[in-house]
Amino acid sequence: MTPALEPLRRIAAYAVARDDEGRVLLVRASSRSGTPGVWSLPGGAVDHGEDPNHTVVRETAAETGLSVAVSGLHDVLADMRSMPHRGVTIHTDRLIYSVSVRGGNLIDRVGHPTDLARWYTLAEAEKLKLRPFTAAALGLSANAGDLRPEEAPVFPSFYAYEGPDGLHRAQRFAAYAIATDPFQNLLLTRISAGYPGAGCWHLPGGGTDYGEQPGAALIRELVEETGQEGRLVELLGVASHRDAASLGPEGYPIDWHGVRAFYRVVVDKPTEVTIHDVGGSTSEARWMPLTEVAALGPDQLTEVTADALRAARLI
């Protein structure tokens, strides 16, 4: 049995880089890590308020000595990993980016959590001990399974902690839907009074649960929030937004950092929209014709909604 461990959550960003020969860039965990000798994609944790696009560039440079540029979003994955040597179980939302190499030279990092960076063909990588998320991102078999808890530990959907400046901080990962029906309508929700963005139209969705994949979380949220059953079509992008002094129902300022994945979702058989969380953050939800959506002003949409609609080329 896995011992009782403190649950933690984090958001991280990783790079899929290929050279002119089609080889992929991997880094090896050193004896200072919890998985010595295991290989993974270069990357690491997103700092509070940091755009994940910047994280992946910064972490890749630190771990490999190479300067990279983000060329696209490859995938979004989530996993749980128990680390008894640290006394924690970590849920990580992993943003996987495709990158191109701008220059630099591979470096070895003796004494760091990752000590080697090397280029491998996929056939060579298949024979290595790979972290499961790395194998999944590359379409390979994982030869090094992470230690996982038997069940997801209890962890609050909203978690704020005191930062170094004394202000409470919260970093949250969420998934949202560009949900359309067969009749050229878009499903939108309106934010209730007392919540950040009150009165603005927003996308259906919300924060993912501990141990939950973002796609599965979104389909669950869609049913719970609006009563609609949808199917995932594609991942459209990721948006990052920081509000350094957000005011919500908590009644005190929070340095808020939200990272949101947004997906295209089709609802083949739309039904009457039903708000199940009465008295919560959603005051209204309805199907809106795309022509009406295009006419909404920027002050009528939340930032993540505007970002997602642009990515979907609906505004």
Side-chain angles (χ1 to χ4, degrees), residues 49-283:
E50 184 178 33
D51 190 304
N53 284 270
H54 300 160
T55 304
V56 72
V57 173
R58 172 179 59 78
E59 285 284 343
T60 301
E63 291 188 340
T64 71
L66 299 179
S67 173
V68 300
V70 173
S71 55
L73 183 64
H74 182 80
D75 203 354
V76 179
L77 306 168
D79 58 61
M80 288 188 297
R81 179 186 179 197
S82 292
M83 306 174 70
H85 65 290
R86 289 176 51 186
V88 299
T89 288
I90 300 178
H91 168 111
T92 306
D93 296 292
R94 304 184 191 274
L95 314 178
I96 315 294
Y97 291 94
S98 299
V99 306
S100 59
V101 177
R102 298 186 292 187
N105 296 290
L106 290 184
I107 58 172
D108 295 342
R109 304 188 338 136
V110 177
H112 290 266
T114 59
D115 57 3
L116 296 180
R118 296 290 187 269
W119 294 100
Y120 288 106
T121 66
L122 290 182
E124 291 169 337
E126 181 76 63
K127 300 175 183 178
L128 300 174
K129 290 183 178 180
L130 299 175
R131 290 290 307 281
F133 82 89
T134 297
L138 298 177
L140 301 176
S141 302
N143 295 321
D146 287 344
L147 179 63
R148 290 172 50 89
E150 285 77 16
E151 58 184 43
V154 176
F155 194 84
S157 59
F158 173 79
Y159 177 74
Y161 62 95
E162 189 171 313
D165 54 5
L167 185 66
H168 278 79
R169 289 183 169 186
Q171 188 181 60
R172 187 181 189 223
F173 182 84
Y176 291 95
I178 293 285
T180 55
D181 67 7
F183 312 107
Q184 298 298 300
N185 295 310
L186 178 72
L187 184 61
L188 290 176
T189 64
R190 179 168 269 170
I191 298 178
S192 301
Y195 288 84
C200 290
W201 288 105
H202 194 41
L203 299 176
T208 62
D209 288 343
Y210 199 102
E212 194 173 33
Q213 291 293 334
L218 180 55
I219 296 303
R220 172 186 57 76
E221 283 277 348
L222 199 63
V223 173
E224 293 178 357
E225 192 173 5
T226 68
Q228 308 301 301
E229 294 188 3
R231 56 183 172 87
L232 288 179
V233 176
E234 63 177 323
L235 173 65
L236 291 171
V238 169
S240 175
H241 174 65
R242 180 183 186 183
D243 184 339
S246 176
L247 278 175
E250 298 79 21
Y252 55 87
I254 294 175
D255 184 350
W256 178 270
H257 179 206
V259 177
R260 297 107 165 198
F262 39 91
Y263 295 79
R264 191 185 300 276
V265 172
V266 172
V267 178
D268 295 301
K269 296 180 180 180
T271 61
E272 182 178 352
V273 177
T274 303
I275 300 175
H276 295 288
D277 185 20
V278 178
S281 61
T282 300
S283 63

Side-chain angles (χ1 to χ4, degrees), residues 156 164 304:
V304 67

